[in-house]
Amino acid sequence: MAISSEHVQRIFAKTERELDRLSSEKHAKAVHSFRTSSRRLETLLAEIAPRRDRHRKKLLKILNAIRRRAGKVHDLDVQLEALRSLKVPQEPRRKTHLMQSLIELRLKREEKLRKFLRKQDIREIHKRFKQTYKAFMVDGARDPLAVARQMLAGAITAGSSMDAEKLHRCRIAVKRARYAAELAKKSPASTQFITELKRMQDALGNWHDWQLLTETATQQLGGVNQSSLVALLHNVTQGKFRQAVRTVTAPEAVHDAVQAIPSDAKSIKKAPSVLDEAAA
């Protein structure tokens, strides 16, 4: 059996709890926890055990809609965290101005998330959870490690050059691969693979956070010739970019990506997935 029924139950239960928490709390931890738990459930339903079912389709659609709006709040949280960590004397007033702008924008996006959640019938969503869980079939589920390796192999190729667009696609693939791999039964192989995925995800996520902050700062303060703070952010982001590229092109990362996929995954055909509609 590729995945245990107990593991499936825990994933459903946690996502339901995090939805309730998000409905009453909008702080950074609640937003992040809902996004990660909902992504794990989406990976389970869309990649590991795909099945055509109207209840499942509707559940995935609403979770995707909530997660996308929560993601807009999360983007501001990571930018604020990055900016707070920047201890430099350049343009302190502009840094303060940028910080305040980010806080104000987060409040606006939080209010949009709040209004969207108010319009939803949370009880109806919980009903979808129960219907989808009841119809879920553990038998026939794909091997999570095989699926994860296939996701990674599609994003990392030995000897390929990386630009920002490719690295962004790689970031999404690594994130999905980690969620898939974490559904596998614990073993030395799965533990080692997940550790490597986490290492890559940390480097890629760090680069992405600083890239978002740099883009926002450029919009607010002008280009590198207009602001020394923006110039500094560009330099920091380029350093994060190089570190991320080194991490995903390291021998161990490429080995995990290109090694032979288990025989039961070679014939896997990617099922249509709502995850493709909002990959970021």
Side-chain angles (χ1 to χ4, degrees):
M1 187 178 295
I3 183 172
S4 70
S5 57
E6 291 80 8
H7 198 169
V8 171
Q9 193 277 331
R10 286 197 299 271
I11 293 170
F12 271 88
K14 181 170 177 55
T15 309
E16 282 198 85
R17 288 196 305 271
E18 295 301 339
L19 174 62
D20 288 338
R21 184 183 179 194
L22 183 67
S23 298
S24 59
E25 304 173 17
K26 304 297 183 299
H27 55 71
K29 189 172 182 180
V31 172
H32 177 68
S33 295
F34 170 78
R35 293 182 77 243
T36 56
S37 61
S38 63
R39 278 192 178 277
R40 286 187 172 89
L41 180 60
E42 288 173 340
T43 300
L44 172 67
L45 297 177
E47 305 287 354
I48 306 301
R51 179 185 176 189
R52 292 186 178 277
D53 177 275
R54 65 185 182 90
H55 296 304
R56 176 182 295 204
K57 183 178 180 180
K58 289 181 178 179
L59 177 61
L60 287 173
K61 184 177 180 179
I62 187 59
L63 288 179
N64 184 48
I66 297 171
R67 182 173 52 77
R68 289 170 67 179
R69 286 164 176 80
K72 292 182 181 297
V73 178
H74 177 70
D75 285 348
L76 273 301
D77 287 332
V78 297
Q79 290 180 66
L80 283 164
E81 183 178 357
L83 186 57
R84 290 189 183 105
S85 72
L86 194 64
K87 307 297 183 183
V88 292
Q90 284 96 330
E91 301 181 329
R93 290 184 180 179
R94 285 195 168 189
K95 179 181 176 181
T96 300
H97 171 74
L98 181 57
M99 181 77 71
Q100 188 59 40
S101 296
L102 291 173
I103 292 172
E104 291 173 0
L105 184 55
R106 189 198 186 281
L107 290 173
K108 291 179 181 179
R109 291 183 177 179
E110 179 184 313
E111 182 57 27
K112 287 185 178 181
L113 173 60
R114 191 190 310 277
K115 288 180 179 179
F116 182 77
L117 287 171
R118 280 201 208 106
K119 293 179 181 179
Q120 307 308 313
D121 187 340
I122 301 299
R123 290 175 299 179
E124 180 63 23
I125 299 176
H126 281 298
K127 183 179 178 182
R128 297 287 180 196
F129 272 106
K130 290 179 174 61
Q131 291 167 331
T132 303
Y133 176 67
K134 185 177 180 181
F136 188 90
M137 297 179 65
V138 173
D139 295 338
R142 297 165 175 172
D143 176 9
L145 279 184
V147 173
R149 292 189 189 282
Q150 190 178 51
M151 290 175 175
L152 193 60
I156 301 177
T157 305
S160 65
S161 60
M162 282 283 184
D163 56 21
E165 183 178 349
K166 288 181 180 178
L167 201 64
H168 178 65
R169 292 199 297 268
C170 182
R171 182 181 68 86
I172 295 167
V174 168
K175 185 186 299 185
R176 291 184 181 180
R178 175 185 170 182
Y179 293 146
E182 287 177 340
L183 295 171
K185 292 183 178 179
K186 285 189 177 181
S187 68
S190 66
T191 299
Q192 181 179 357
F193 184 43
I194 291 169
T195 298
E196 180 58 27
L197 287 172
K198 287 180 179 179
R199 191 174 72 88
M200 288 190 284
Q201 187 178 355
D202 287 345
L204 290 163
N206 197 13
W207 159 70
H208 184 250
D209 295 347
W210 283 93
Q211 182 190 50
L212 287 176
L213 177 59
T214 302
E215 291 173 353
T216 301
T218 302
Q219 293 170 1
Q220 294 278 337
L221 306 176
V224 295
N225 295 325
Q226 297 171 286
S227 168
S228 60
L229 177 58
V230 172
L232 175 63
L233 288 172
H234 272 279
N235 289 336
V236 172
T237 300
Q238 282 301 310
K240 302 293 184 181
F241 174 82
R242 290 190 291 270
Q243 177 59 41
V245 170
R246 285 195 296 270
T247 302
V248 299
T249 56
E252 58 268 31
V254 175
H255 174 267
D256 279 330
V258 303
Q259 69 175 302
I261 297 172
S263 59
D264 62 343
K266 289 181 179 179
S267 61
I268 289 178
K269 294 181 179 180
K270 182 173 176 59
S273 171
V274 296
L275 299 182
D276 294 326
E277 298 175 5

